[in-house]
Amino acid sequence: MTTTMTKLLNFDAVEKAPLTTDPFSFMVARDVIPADMLERVNADYPHIDRPANFKPESLEYGPLFAQILEDLDSPEFERLISRKFDIDLTQTTKTITVRKLSEPSDGNIHTDHWSKIMTVLLYFNPEWHQEGGKLRMLRGKHDIEDYVAEVTPLGGTLLAFKRSNNSYHGYKRFDGERRMVQVNWVRSDPLALQAQRISRLGTHTGKKLLRMAKGLGGRG
C-alpha cells in the first residue's frame, strides 16, 4: 500500500486499553477510529453484497478506508500488538480481510484455527441496537451465555485476542451489516498455511450447503 496521509487510527487507545488474561488473553479498545472521522470513513467503505471475507486488493474503496488498512498493516501496529501481548510476531504471516455482511450461520462458538496466533477485529458500524452480533469472550465451548466480556461492533471499537486452546468466542445470530476489518497473524510454515486453506474450504462448503438446504426448505 502507498501512503495517503498521516496515521488515522488512535494507537494510544490500543496502548492504554487494559489486557485481560482470564480465561484467555484479550483486550478491547474504544475510539480507535476518531468519532469525528467515522462517518467519512464509512463513506469510503467498500461495497460488498455478500457475506464473506474479502482481501482488500479485490475491493474498491476510498482514501480514508485505505489509510486505515495501511495503519493496520504498519510495522508500528504490529510492534504495538507484540508488546501488548508479549508475543513475537516477526516470524508470522499477516493477513487482512474485510467483511460487511453477517449471516445466521456466523458466530458459532469456536477458538479459531490452530495455525492462527493473533487476531485483531476493528469495527465500523455507526450504531448498534440488535441483541445478536455482539462478540462474546467465553469461559467454555458449550454456553454462549457464559461470557466474561461482550463486544458491541460499534465503529472505532478494536478487539484483539491471542489464540489458545480455550480462546472460545462467538455471538448470537445476526443477519445484516456488521462491518469489520480482521487482521490475523498466522504461522508461516507450509503445513500451517495448507491446513488453514483446507479449514477455510471446509467452512465455506458447509455454509454453502446450509444456504442451499435453507433455500430448498423455503420453497416447500
Side-chain angles (χ1 to χ4, degrees):
M1 298 177 188
T2 58
T3 301
T4 56
M5 61 181 69
T6 58
K7 178 165 59 67
L8 190 154
L9 293 182
N10 180 6
F11 286 1
D12 286 341
V14 181
E15 186 80 62
K16 295 175 181 177
L19 179 67
T20 300
T21 57
D22 183 26
F24 56 91
S25 296
F26 70 91
M27 52 141 289
V28 181
R30 316 289 182 185
D31 298 320
V32 176
I33 302 173
D36 60 350
M37 295 294 294
L38 184 60
E39 184 176 354
R40 293 172 58 193
V41 167
N42 271 309
D44 282 357
Y45 202 90
H47 173 71
I48 296 173
D49 59 3
R50 56 191 174 94
N53 288 359
F54 293 87
K55 295 180 179 180
E57 55 266 30
S58 70
L59 302 170
E60 294 183 1
Y61 42 82
L64 290 177
F65 189 80
Q67 183 61 43
I68 283 181
L69 293 177
E70 184 172 311
D71 290 353
L72 292 172
D73 197 30
S74 66
E76 181 183 356
F77 184 68
E78 183 168 302
R79 289 193 295 267
L80 172 56
I81 295 298
S82 295
R83 290 195 306 271
K84 195 78 179 179
F85 287 84
D86 191 23
I87 186 171
D88 182 8
L89 298 173
T90 58
Q91 302 302 311
T92 63
T93 297
K94 180 166 51 182
T95 65
I96 298 178
T97 56
V98 184
R99 194 178 183 100
K100 184 177 182 181
L101 299 173
S102 177
E103 59 185 343
S105 61
D106 292 332
N108 294 322
I109 297 174
H110 64 291
T111 60
D112 281 352
H113 193 265
W114 61 265
S115 62
K116 291 184 180 180
I117 296 175
M118 279 294 311
T119 293
V120 168
L121 304 172
L122 178 62
Y123 296 108
F124 293 80
N125 280 67
E127 57 184 16
W128 197 271
H129 305 294
Q130 300 84 358
E131 181 182 359
K134 300 177 182 180
L135 191 61
R136 294 177 174 181
M137 306 291 103
L138 302 168
R139 294 187 178 90
K141 61 182 177 180
H142 299 297
D143 187 0
I144 194 69
E145 301 295 342
D146 187 15
Y147 59 93
V148 297
E150 182 180 67
V151 183
T152 302
L154 282 171
T157 300
L158 182 146
L159 165 68
F161 63 91
K162 182 179 179 182
R163 193 272 174 194
S164 68
N165 289 334
N166 68 323
S167 57
Y168 293 104
H169 55 284
Y171 59 83
K172 290 187 174 182
R173 291 183 178 180
F174 174 73
D175 190 3
E177 283 201 18
R178 189 174 181 273
R179 300 182 174 207
M180 70 174 189
V181 170
Q182 179 168 316
V183 185
N184 288 115
W185 286 266
V186 302
R187 302 180 191 279
S188 56
D189 60 277
L191 177 60
L193 295 175
Q194 179 65 17
Q196 190 175 57
R197 283 192 289 268
I198 293 171
S199 176
R200 282 198 300 266
L201 179 62
T203 298
H204 294 163
T205 301
K207 287 189 174 185
K208 184 177 180 180
L209 291 173
L210 184 61
R211 292 190 203 106
M212 291 173 61
K214 184 178 179 181
L216 289 172
R219 288 196 295 270

